[in-house]
């Protein structure tokens, strides 16, 4: 079957490509015992490291660091600036990414509307380039995963992003990059409040973490926003284990981890022993980026852009 | 136009029916300056009192009271029973509905999985009957609003429930009753946790209010779950004012309040001065149930069931 058809052109013929195509074929075949009704065709995808590059830093963190330099942000009143900068750079040096981000959010995001934040993200994505690949981040989405998203969509699936990053970041570009609208782009959240500005209601961010969409949080997020059991899930790290277990509890399911094995075309790093053990215990497929992907990054303008 | 077409058959010909049909016609006409692209056709609906009956008590409260009598629930370990019952009945007598519900949730819902709760709701809806109309609650949905939901859906809209009640309640039946799947049925939430049961992950309710989907909360809920601006919103009380204002900020929008004016076929009660003032200030349409609706309740089996 799979050796003759033209689906998933950036995937090398082999067990991972076969597994995806076989899954699609059986869940959409009304005569198969594994048939899944269209309403229940839900697929969930981690974002960083699963749909696009996450090294040397998670892109949203790079964005927030750049945001600090933005005139509009710098003009916002803030306190403790010098101490803040010292703490900031110490945090970066120590790679304490989370506490770094938390501090930045507290300093600058209070009172920013979600609409303003979205514009900042879009402006940044239009100009920022990746240090290793020297191209805009939206061009560093994985071509093979774009093909998986399209294959699922063509077969009646609804694709959801379930990102550990904030929903305010991914919703600014998920529709353009992945064909996934904001209502299907889920992520971590800050508290928000409704405020009046010029006689109109606006939704403003509050610098208070409200929901961390990682680990078991991904299951709670799926329950809260979708309330249907995903039948397919893709991830790449320990933060995705619970989501893959959740999808794996469906009668028929496809659970895959992207394993970063290609230090030439992308990066090579391990998801960690806990994740590898979970994959072995539950029989999840490991996508070997180096061996399985003929292209890595999005193919644009008819040219290969795979590294 | 509207006097000749057969849409919205349970709506009396007049300004409210005209307003709905004119809105649908202009937002779906590619040549109209008011055209709305399919992806942005979002309509939000309050539930209790807007899509179905909410008197003499909000149905979910009636459900929770009945749940107390359920064997399976009664067998759950609990403390302070006698004091609890006294508090419960005092609360009912004093119509302190919210504090009543909060107490019940704290006593009984800790550790109940969302799947279990959904089954309870479904079982209850199959047997419970309304004290005034003596029929199951799912037959007390408003026929004219079912027609609005269908009209919107046929015109490429996605309909969302945005209920002050809990999402765990409405998701148990929203697909069957309204054609609105769980991912589009939003409501108030308790905290949840992921637990292991028999080697599988389950999502359990915690008796801790997490999000109240009412008033400005409805705007935050829409922002969090949809992140697209609704262009139509229907409500019936002060808890819907912010949602209607939010929808009303779209370039073209339809905002309507169901006004309960029919004490024969349903109930007659005011939404309160604050709501009426907001409607006047913002130019929202008030649906006069007695005058505007030819049928009130869902028409089933070919028979009129309007009262």
């Amino acid at each position: 079957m799979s050796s003759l058809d033209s689906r998933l052109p950036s995937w090398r013929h082999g067990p991972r490509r076969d597994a995806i195509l076989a899954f699609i074929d059986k869940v959409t075949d009304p005569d198969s015992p594994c048939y899944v009704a269209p309403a229940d065709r839900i697929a969930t995808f981690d974002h960083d490291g699963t749909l696009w590059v996450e090294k040397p830093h998670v892109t949203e963190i790079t964005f927030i660091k750049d945001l600090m330099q933005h005139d509009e942000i710098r003009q916002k009143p803030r306190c403790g600036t010098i101490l803040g900068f010292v703490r900031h750079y110490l945090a970066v040096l120590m790679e304490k990414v989370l506490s770094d981000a938390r501090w930045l959010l507290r300093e600058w995001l209070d009172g920013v509307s979600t609409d303003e934040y979205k514009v900042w993200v879009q402006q940044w994505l239009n100009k920022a380039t990746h240090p290793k690949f020297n191209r805009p981040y939206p061009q560093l989405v994985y071509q093979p995963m774009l093909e998986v998203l399209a294959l699922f969509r063509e077969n009646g699936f609804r694709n959801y992003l379930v990102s550990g990053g904030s929903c305010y970041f991914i919703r600014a570009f998920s529709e353009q990059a992945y064909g996934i609208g904001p209502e299907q782009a889920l992520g971590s959240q800050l508290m928000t409040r409704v405020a009046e500005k010029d006689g109109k209601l606006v939704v403003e961010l509050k610098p208070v973490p409200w929901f961390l969409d990682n680990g078991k949080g991904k299951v709670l997020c799926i329950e809260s926003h979708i309330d249907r059991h995903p039948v397919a899930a893709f991830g790449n790290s320990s933060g995705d284990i619970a989501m893959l277990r959740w999808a794996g509890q469906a009668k028929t399911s496809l659970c895959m981890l992207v394993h970063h094995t290609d230090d030439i075309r992308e990066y090579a790093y391990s998801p960690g022993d806990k994740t590898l053990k979970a994959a072995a215990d539950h029989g999840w497929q490991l996508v070997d980026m180096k061996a399985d992907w003929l292209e890595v990054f999005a193919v644009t303008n008819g040219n290969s852009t795979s590294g």
Side-chain angles (χ1 to χ4, degrees), chain A:
Chain A
M1 161 204 71
S2 60
S3 61
L4 292 174
D5 71 38
S6 60
R7 295 179 292 177
L8 302 179
S10 297
W11 289 74
R12 191 179 303 276
H13 289 242
R16 264 68 68 182
R17 179 174 177 277
D18 288 349
I20 298 170
L21 294 177
F23 172 77
I24 288 290
D25 290 342
K26 68 186 172 188
V27 298
T28 57
D29 175 4
D31 297 326
S32 163
C34 303
Y35 178 72
V36 175
D40 293 319
R41 291 183 197 161
I42 303 290
T44 54
F45 297 83
D46 170 56
H47 186 216
D48 296 300
T50 299
L51 295 185
W52 76 346
V53 70
E54 67 173 355
K55 296 290 180 188
H57 304 292
V58 170
T59 308
E60 186 169 6
I61 301 298
T62 309
F63 161 69
I64 292 175
K65 284 184 205 159
D66 283 1
L67 192 61
M68 284 181 57
Q69 309 303 325
H70 195 289
D71 282 348
E72 192 181 344
I73 312 301
R74 291 171 69 91
Q75 284 157 15
K76 281 179 73 77
R78 56 184 190 267
C79 57
T81 308
I82 293 170
L83 179 62
F85 269 86
V86 171
R87 280 180 57 199
H88 165 63
Y89 285 112
L90 278 178
V92 172
L93 284 172
M94 296 166 71
E95 297 198 7
K96 283 185 176 170
V97 164
L98 267 181
S99 64
D100 179 32
R102 203 177 297 136
W103 171 79
L104 287 167
L105 292 170
R106 192 175 302 126
E107 288 283 302
W108 275 287
L109 291 193
D110 196 15
V112 171
S113 79
T114 53
D115 284 342
E116 283 176 286
Y117 193 78
K118 204 175 289 179
V119 170
W120 293 349
V121 174
Q122 287 164 340
Q123 289 173 342
W124 183 81
L125 287 175
N126 285 338
K127 61 170 202 254
T129 54
H130 188 279
K132 176 171 175 179
F133 303 109
N134 196 32
R135 58 160 79 171
Y137 289 90
Q139 292 178 25
L140 297 173
V141 300
Y142 302 139
Q143 177 66 24
M145 293 307 293
L146 292 181
E147 293 169 8
V148 168
L149 292 171
L151 178 73
F152 275 69
R153 194 162 40 236
E154 287 157 12
N155 283 279
F157 272 80
R158 272 169 295 162
N159 297 326
Y160 282 82
L161 288 178
V162 183
S163 173
S166 84
C167 64
Y168 318 108
F169 186 73
I170 52 172
R171 285 173 173 177
F173 63 98
S174 63
E175 188 140 31
Q176 196 177 354
Y178 305 115
I180 295 178
E183 69 279 23
Q184 288 172 212
L186 315 179
S188 295
Q189 300 196 309
L190 297 178
M191 286 195 77
T192 51
R193 68 173 157 241
V194 175
E196 299 259 357
K197 255 184 193 167
D198 307 323
K200 291 198 167 188
L201 302 182
V202 295
V203 174
E204 291 181 348
L205 298 169
K206 289 168 73 173
V208 182
W210 165 247
F211 182 76
L212 182 61
D213 189 27
N214 202 42
K216 288 180 176 177
K218 293 204 175 198
V219 172
L220 300 180
C221 181
I222 289 167
E223 170 82 8
S224 165
H225 285 258
I226 315 175
D227 197 26
R228 297 186 195 265
H229 225 96
V231 292
F234 289 75
N236 82 309
S237 75
S238 60
D240 303 314
I241 293 175
M243 178 171 77
L244 267 68
R245 283 191 63 190
W246 191 239
Q249 290 178 198
K251 198 184 66 176
T252 302
S253 62
L254 178 71
C255 297
M256 282 197 166
L257 289 166
V258 175
H259 194 179
H260 296 260
T261 52
D262 193 331
D263 61 353
I264 305 296
R265 296 188 301 170
E266 205 239 11
Y267 292 94
Y269 55 98
S270 169
D273 292 344
K274 188 179 161 195
T275 311
L276 293 173
K277 183 179 181 311
D281 288 350
H282 295 284
W284 300 334
Q285 304 260 1
L286 277 181
V287 175
D288 181 339
M289 182 181 279
K290 187 174 182 177
D292 290 342
W293 286 2
L294 302 176
E295 300 280 347
V296 173
F297 295 127
V299 178
T300 53
N301 303 321
N303 299 316
S304 162
T305 55
S306 61

